[in-house]
Amino acid sequence: MSIHKMISLHPEVAGNLNEDLATAVRHAMFCAAMCTSCADACAAEDMDMRQCIRSCLDCADICAATAKVATRRTGENIAVLRAMLETCTRTCELCAEECARHEHEHCRLCADMCRECAEDCRKALTSVG
């Protein structure tokens, strides 16, 4: 199953799928899950990982909200969509920076996903309104 296909089946999309936006939705969903998992792994580490946990959980929530807003095709709210994509981009960048401070493999994977999501959101920004 593909979120790209699901969005493309919306009556208001009618064969005019914004591929960049659909990719940003897909990766924001993945990033939300990766950040949640990283935060959980950080909680199990022996060292103080409070800031990393906070960054990951904030990023997970913002990615999830961005994916929800960007998935909606009925009507239009370009200003909100752009604000969400901008916020998601910045939050992913900050989370990647925080995770990159740690040598844990889960932090490395999370940082990679956050960078990818930030890039996809930046690209999607150029394709909306």
Side-chain angles (χ1 to χ4, degrees), residues 29 100 110:
M29 291 171 16
C110 187

Side-chain angles (χ1 to χ4, degrees), residues 7-81:
I7 294 170
S8 73
L9 294 173
H10 191 286
E12 291 190 21
V13 173
N16 192 22
L17 177 67
N18 180 331
E19 289 283 345
D20 291 338
L21 186 58
T23 298
V25 166
R26 182 173 184 263
H27 288 155
M29 291 171 16
F30 287 153
C31 195
M34 294 283 285
C35 286
T36 299
S37 181
C38 187
D40 186 56
C42 286
E45 295 291 350
D46 290 332
M47 60 193 296
D48 182 5
M49 299 291 288
R50 284 180 288 181
Q51 189 57 47
C52 196
I53 292 166
R54 173 61 189 258
S55 293
C56 286
L57 292 178
D58 287 351
C59 193
D61 289 344
I62 289 167
C63 285
T66 300
K68 288 178 182 181
V69 170
T71 300
R72 297 181 188 129
R73 300 293 82 205
T74 302
E76 200 173 84
N77 199 343
I78 297 299
V80 170
L81 176 58

